[in-house]
């Protein structure tokens, strides 16, 4: 690390751990309190939890997530502000950063699950903020999983921050090849027929295209159904994450209702 001259060996190791974790396909970097809070709630296996200001983090936990206070207290490691800012390109303003192991996902088993909930398929999303927002709403609406194709890793730290750590609430997979499944592939595309959410097939794979180019010809040709979210004349398309939200919630209200959501535990924040 540049500027690490005054650090001891354990701090240098910590900085190196975070640097490597950013590129390690088995690990996730959780930047900030909200990502860490959700990771904890959804059972993430944490490796390091680091802060330069334990009081700030505990105050946030008291206000927003009392359910994670005890785990935070036992897991948090305090470092100097100088070390803390070396753990990420931009130090999280909420004063905490962590690493965790990404959960293993068996893709064939996931695709074969009988749950009627749809799977969200993103074809080559470019913006990490969009990717994160898609995962966040998929978790909130209780979709079965998010699968992402293309060059961008949906577990990139910026996408994890954009999803507020909700990657741990449902399977999130970076696909390396085509999806082979008996599920009905539904192209969500401005050129389709108007969405009738009650007619969306059970166990569907809902495919959404890239921000600029939309769905590829291959994916459109492979889809059995092509459907659009109606828009006022003159509007050409919605933002990617907005369209994921619109379709998932239309499906949820039409097909299972908000009561279908798991509401047994309602932690604060
Ligand atoms: C920003 S849009 C891409 C715009 C692209 N120029 C097009 O025409 O598809 C990104 C993705 O959001 C979804 N989307 C946006 N607006 C939509 C709409 N009104 N109906 C259906 N899908 C929509 C589609 O999956 C689209 O590929």
């Amino acid at each position: 690390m540049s500027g690490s001259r005054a650090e001891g060996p354990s701090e240098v190791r910590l900085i190196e751990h975070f640097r490597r974790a950013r590129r390690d396909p088995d690990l996730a970097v959780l930047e900030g309190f909200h990502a860490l809070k959700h990771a904890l709630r959804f059972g993430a296996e944490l490796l390091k939890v680091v802060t330069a200001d334990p009081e700030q983090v505990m105050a946030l936990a008291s206000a927003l997530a009392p359910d994670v206070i005890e785990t935070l207290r036992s897991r948090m490691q305090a470092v100097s502000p100088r070390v803390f800012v070396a753990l990420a390109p931009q130090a999280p303003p909420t004063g905490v950063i962590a690493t965790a192991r990404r959960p293993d996902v068996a893709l064939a088993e996931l695709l074969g699950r009988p749950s009627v909930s749809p799977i969200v398929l993103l074809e080559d999303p470019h913006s990490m903020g969009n990717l994160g927002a898609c995962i966040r709403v998929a978790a909130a609406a209780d979709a079965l999983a998010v699968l992402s194709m293309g060059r961008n890793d949906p577990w990139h730290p910026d996408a994890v921050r954009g999803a507020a750590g909700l990657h741990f609430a449902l399977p999130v997979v970076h696909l390396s090849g085509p999806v082979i499944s008996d599920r009905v592939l539904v192209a969500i595309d401005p050129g389709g027929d108007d969405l009738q959410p009650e007619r969306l097939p059970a166990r569907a794979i809902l495919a959404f295209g890239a921000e600029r180019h939309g769905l590829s010809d291959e994916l459109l040709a492979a889809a059995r159904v092509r459907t659009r979210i109606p828009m006022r004349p003159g509007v050409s398309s919605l933002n990617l994450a907005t369209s994921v939200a619109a379709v998932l919630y239309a499906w949820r209200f039409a097909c299972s209702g908000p009561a279908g959501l798991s509401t047994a535990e309602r932690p604060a924040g």
Side-chain angles (χ1 to χ4, degrees), residues 188-190 207-215 227-229 231 237-240 243:
I188 309 296
D189 181 75
F208 296 84
E211 290 89 339
R212 183 175 299 181
H213 300 296
L215 283 166
T227 187
R228 76 188 283 272
I229 305 159
M231 294 176 295
S237 69
L238 298 169
N239 158 275
L240 169 60
S243 54

